[in-house]
Amino acid sequence: MPHLHFMMDAYGSIEEHANNLMAVNELLNNVALSLKLKPVMPPFLVPYYYCEDAEDGGISAFLICEGGHITIHTFPYRSCYFVDILSDEFFSASAAEAIFKKQLYAERITSKLIDRRTIYNMTVDGIDKKIDFGPHYMIEVNGVEMTVDWIFKWLDQIAEKIKMVPITRPYVIYDRKDNPSYISGLLVVAQSHIAVHYDVQTKQALIDIFSCTFLDDNVIHRILDSYFGDNYSIKLFSRGSKHTDIYKRKQARISASRKWRDNI
């Protein structure tokens, strides 16, 4: 079975579209249907407009599928959004890109499709903490027994331990009622997420920690060591390179909204 992970960073989005809950809900459903993924729940949407910096407001949404998930985090006031699709089924990266481009416009998109089975033999592009959006840790755990209760408690504790801000309680679900193959859990943190997908038969878990700010790598490793010992491997990707270039749009938007002052 593959474990395909599609990551897409999109810039130059339209504020009204990225603020539209119905549009984001429809988008998640259409992505799953078009890529022939197998959703096991309806989309879960979290409007987030009570952050310290109003420019960070937006929508976080996820759809758990069999063995994976679709997530999107929109930043309407920064004109960008971030997408992840994790699946144990083959799907087309170009088809995924096309759906997002059609339904949630963006001027510029960068994307990557990787197979998590081979990720640990890959090299990672340079990371610049001054201009990149944030880290995405991809973690594989083997041979550790996990239950619904264990995953819920782990997600409920981990965010604050690594200095992330949870904005929901964990959502944990079996992929089906009878003879489940996967237990999946997801916690929405401030405009990003932490996800766990545990294969009941193989006792392998794929974990994602995606943050909008860089974390302390030493703390991450120390906490993972305390839970999993030597039974995990980890790879770090950087998301949203040159993300700060888009901030220029903020000044243009503010200038336009105050233009009326020049006329009086």
Side-chain angles (χ1 to χ4, degrees), residues 30-186:
N30 287 345
V31 169
L33 181 64
S34 298
L35 299 182
K36 295 182 172 54
L37 305 181
K38 299 174 182 176
V40 297
M41 57 166 281
F44 191 105
L45 293 91
V46 184
Y48 181 58
Y49 297 103
Y50 43 89
C51 37
E52 290 186 12
D53 186 345
E55 294 290 315
D56 287 333
I59 299 169
S60 283
F62 65 88
L63 177 61
I64 292 179
C65 300
E66 186 178 282
H69 62 258
I70 306 168
T71 60
I72 182 168
H73 304 286
T74 75
F75 291 79
Y77 311 117
R78 298 191 186 277
S79 303
C80 60
Y81 64 88
F82 299 89
V83 169
D84 284 271
I85 304 174
L86 175 62
S87 176
D88 65 355
E89 299 287 344
F90 286 103
F91 65 89
S92 165
S94 59
E97 265 198 24
I99 299 167
F100 284 100
K101 285 181 180 178
K102 181 179 180 180
Q103 291 195 230
L104 197 59
Y105 172 80
E107 292 177 358
R108 177 167 62 91
I109 285 174
T110 60
S111 68
K112 181 179 293 185
L113 180 68
I114 62 172
D115 189 333
R116 301 259 303 235
R117 295 173 303 178
T118 61
I119 185 175
Y120 304 104
N121 297 320
M122 295 176 60
T123 58
V124 180
D125 296 335
I127 295 172
D128 189 334
K129 295 184 178 181
K130 293 181 180 179
I131 61 174
D132 291 350
F133 175 75
H136 191 143
Y137 295 92
M138 296 187 182
I139 302 154
E140 180 182 311
V141 181
N142 287 286
V144 175
E145 190 78 37
M146 296 185 186
T147 63
V148 168
D149 187 57
W150 189 96
I151 292 172
F152 182 94
K153 290 179 179 178
W154 187 83
L155 288 170
D156 216 21
Q157 299 168 359
I158 190 67
E160 291 175 296
K161 286 187 176 183
I162 60 178
K163 308 302 181 185
M164 298 179 78
V165 180
I167 61 174
T168 67
R169 297 297 298 280
Y171 190 106
V172 185
I173 190 172
Y174 285 111
D175 62 330
R176 50 180 175 264
K177 294 179 181 179
D178 299 318
N179 300 315
S181 297
Y182 290 97
I183 306 171
S184 293
L186 199 142

